[in-house]
Structure formats: structure tokens, C-alpha cells
Amino acid sequence: MKKIIPFIVLLIMTALISVSCKSTPQTTTEELNESIYRAQTARQRAIDFESPAYFPSDWEEIEAKYEAAGTLSVTDEEHRKNCVSFCSICRKNEGETKQAIEEYNALTEAYDEIFKKAVPLYAQAREDEILSSREAVVNSGFADYFPDYLKNADDLALAAKAQYEAEEYYEARDSAAKALDEFETLIIGSKVHIARQEIMDRGFTDYDAENFQRADDVTKAAINDYEAGNRDAAVAKAEEALLRYNLVLATGWTSYSADRQVSAGSERELAIADRANIASREIFREAEALYQQAQENMEAENFHDAAAHFTDSEAMFAIARQDTKERRQRAEAAIRHAEEKIEESSEAALEAERIIEGGTR
């Protein structure tokens, strides 16, 4: 009988421990889970709107508290149901659970607070990006040809602004992303427009007529895709068109700079033949410096600058020739004037001699 009593006592103690282990009220556990969920939701929202980037030191402080709270939030109900001893996990008693709830509630407030400070900065950054992209589209002149495209993008941007003011932050974020995406698509279109316009303005179409025609065809197809809502296809075609226009420009600048080189060289030879390098030395030296700079640009395949310097040097060689011509004309006029003066002086001397000798003969 004495041997049985300790065994009964042991059974009773085990039962009491088991009951104690499972004594945390279900409602307290549910409250803990809810507080954890709210904190995690607030944390994710803060992350989604770049709070860590805007307030890094504040974020690190909150994150440290978040990690610490995790050590008080063991809520494995399956373990609690199966546990038959007072193990280390089950020592999370009701008091600790309530403490964890309080800490998670405080974390929710902290994450909400840092979010409220970050979201205006986030919204301003998105607005700046949109306005910068819009400005690029407008300045390119592209919107003058396709005003409806600009209006569609503007409408998305305005929708994002309205949603932000209504505190519909995720909706505002998505609308702003769509607006920015739309403006960036239009930027590709504006680059195509600028490249084509330069080709036309400089008369480069004949330098690579095949690529120019192909680029025009692809551009039209891109516009059709865009208006049909096939944005990805439109972007791909626009990028192909831009590549082809740039090839035309590259060929154009190469050929054009070579043409300018020939013209400048011819004008230089004429200037030397006219002895402008002697008669108009300073002007010729300036022209020669531009010409040598253009030659260096050609060797470096910097055809844009080469063409510009050859054009400038050609003009300066022409000015040197004109200056030489004018100098020569002034010199000839001075010589004629001097000869006339000499002739007049000779006639005057003869007349004086006649008078001295007693009159005319």
C-alpha cells in the first residue's frame, strides 16, 4: 500500500502539471495571434512604402523590438495539446502571452507611425518621377503629334493623386506605377520622333534610304499596336524603329562629315592659292586650327564634331580668301591713287616750268 501511494501522488502531480501547461485561455491565444497579424500587416505596409530607406535608424530600432517580441509569442497549439510535461516551450504562461500581446500592439503603432512619416516622401518621389518623365515627353514635341497619348497618361497620374488623397495608398501606388510606365513608354516614342526629325532636318534620308524606310514602316506598326492596347509589342517595335533611325543617323553623320571634309579641304587649297595664309595670316590660322581639330575628330570617329569643325573651318577659309581679296583691292586702289597723284604732280611741274620760262610756247 505504501508503494502505491507515491505512484498515485505522481499521477496526480503529472495531471496537475498537464492541466497547468494547457491552462492558457483560448481567447488569450487568439488575441495574441490577432496582435501578431496586425503587427505583421503594419510592418509589411511600412516596407511596401520604403519606410526602411527613408528612416533607417528608426526602422532598425523597431525591428529589434519586433525580433524580441518573437521570443514571447509561442502559440503552437498542436504542441500544447500533445504536451504531457512542464517543458520549456509550455512555460509561456498567460502573463507572458499578455506581455507579448502588448508588445505586438505597440509594434503595430510604431510601424504605423513610421509609415505615416514615409508615405508622403514616397508619394513625392513617385510624383517627381512622373513629372520628370512627362516633361521629357512634352519637350520632345511628341505630344504635339499624339495629344491623346499624353492625356491617357495624365489621367492615370491624376487618378493616383486622388487615391493618395483618399488614403487609398496601395491603389495610389499601383496607379502611379501605371502612369510612370505609360510615360516611359511615351519617352521611347519621343526618342523615335526626335531621331526621325533630326534625319529629316539634316537631309540624311538618302544616306541610308533602306533603313529609313524600314524604320518608318516599323514605327507605323508600333503606333497601331499601341492604339490596340498591345503595349509590349508596341514597345518592341518602337525600339526596333529607334535602332534603325540611329543607324541612319550614324551613316548620315559619317557620310556628311566626309562631305564636309572634302568641301573644307577644297576651300583651304583655294585660300592657299590666293595666298590668304600670308595676306590674312590671323584668319587663316584660326581656320587651320579648326580644320586640324576636325581631322582629329574624324580619326576618333567623332563624326558629329568633325562635321561641325569642318563646316566652321570651311567658312573661315572663305573669310580669309575674301579678306585677302579686299586687301588686294585696297592695295590696288592705293597704287592707282598714288599713280594718279604722281601724274598730277608731273603735269603741275611741267606747267610751272612753262610759267618760269615765260609762258607757253
Side-chain angles (χ1 to χ4, degrees), residues 306-327:
H309 285 124
F310 277 130
T311 300
D312 291 343
S313 67
E314 180 182 357
M316 292 303 297
F317 284 130
I319 291 172
R321 288 181 64 203
Q322 182 64 28
D323 184 67
T324 299
K325 180 181 179 180
E326 291 174 357
R327 285 173 182 270

Side-chain angles (χ1 to χ4, degrees), residues 61-317:
E61 182 179 347
I62 298 172
E63 284 289 274
K65 294 178 181 178
Y66 180 78
E67 292 179 8
T71 63
L72 297 172
S73 60
V74 177
T75 59
D76 190 339
E77 291 302 316
E78 190 64 30
H79 174 83
R80 291 180 183 277
K81 291 176 182 177
N82 296 328
C83 182
V84 293
S85 65
F86 195 48
C87 70
S88 59
I89 294 177
C90 290
R91 292 186 187 126
K92 303 298 180 182
N93 57 30
E94 184 177 355
E96 291 174 319
T97 302
K98 288 182 178 180
Q99 180 184 350
I101 291 171
E102 291 174 0
E103 292 193 12
Y104 277 111
N105 288 341
L107 282 167
T108 298
E109 293 180 3
Y111 283 126
D112 283 343
E113 186 64 29
I114 197 172
F115 163 77
K116 290 176 182 178
K117 293 194 298 182
V119 72
L121 302 177
Y122 178 91
Q124 186 62 56
R126 301 294 79 75
E127 182 178 350
D128 291 344
E129 289 174 347
I130 289 172
L131 290 177
S132 177
S133 298
R134 186 183 191 280
E135 184 178 5
V137 174
V138 172
N139 290 344
S140 71
F142 181 76
D144 295 338
Y145 293 90
F146 302 97
D148 290 344
Y149 295 177
L150 182 65
K151 183 180 182 304
N152 290 339
D154 281 346
D155 289 344
L156 288 170
L158 291 173
K161 183 176 180 61
Q163 288 166 336
Y164 170 74
E165 292 174 349
E167 299 185 359
E168 298 170 352
Y169 298 118
Y170 278 102
E171 293 83 351
R173 182 191 66 173
D174 294 343
S175 294
K178 290 178 182 177
L180 183 60
D181 191 46
E182 193 71 12
F183 280 118
E184 289 178 346
T185 298
L186 296 185
I187 286 176
I188 298 174
S190 68
K191 289 179 179 179
V192 172
H193 170 74
I194 291 172
R196 189 181 190 282
Q197 194 63 45
E198 183 179 357
I199 292 169
M200 298 299 295
D201 291 345
R202 297 188 180 281
F204 284 178
T205 55
D206 292 339
Y207 288 122
D208 191 352
E210 182 178 351
N211 258 325
F212 182 78
Q213 185 58 56
R214 177 58 181 162
D216 271 0
D217 293 341
V218 175
T219 297
K220 293 175 184 176
I223 292 173
N224 291 336
D225 280 335
Y226 181 80
E227 292 182 346
N230 302 324
R231 181 188 172 279
D232 291 343
V235 169
K237 288 183 174 66
E239 289 175 343
E240 179 188 347
L242 181 60
L243 175 62
R244 290 183 181 275
Y245 283 134
N246 283 335
L247 288 173
V248 175
L249 281 172
T251 302
W253 277 114
T254 303
S255 303
Y256 179 69
S257 61
D259 291 344
R260 298 275 61 77
Q261 182 181 35
V262 172
S263 296
S266 298
E267 194 64 35
R268 180 176 181 274
E269 291 177 3
L270 290 173
I272 293 172
D274 288 344
R275 301 180 67 79
N277 55 325
I278 297 173
S280 302
R281 184 177 295 107
E282 293 303 319
I283 299 176
F284 185 88
R285 284 177 178 174
E286 185 178 350
E288 184 70 8
L290 288 168
Y291 184 79
Q292 293 304 322
Q293 182 63 54
Q295 295 285 37
E296 292 175 7
N297 289 143
M298 284 291 283
E299 292 176 3
E301 297 185 355
N302 185 358
F303 300 114
H304 184 282
D305 289 348
H309 285 124
F310 277 130
T311 300
D312 291 343
S313 67
E314 180 182 357
M316 292 303 297
F317 284 130

Side-chain angles (χ1 to χ4, degrees), residues 25-35:
Q26 183 67 27
T27 55
T28 303
T29 302
E30 291 176 355
E31 289 175 6
L32 176 59
N33 288 334
E34 290 174 2
S35 66

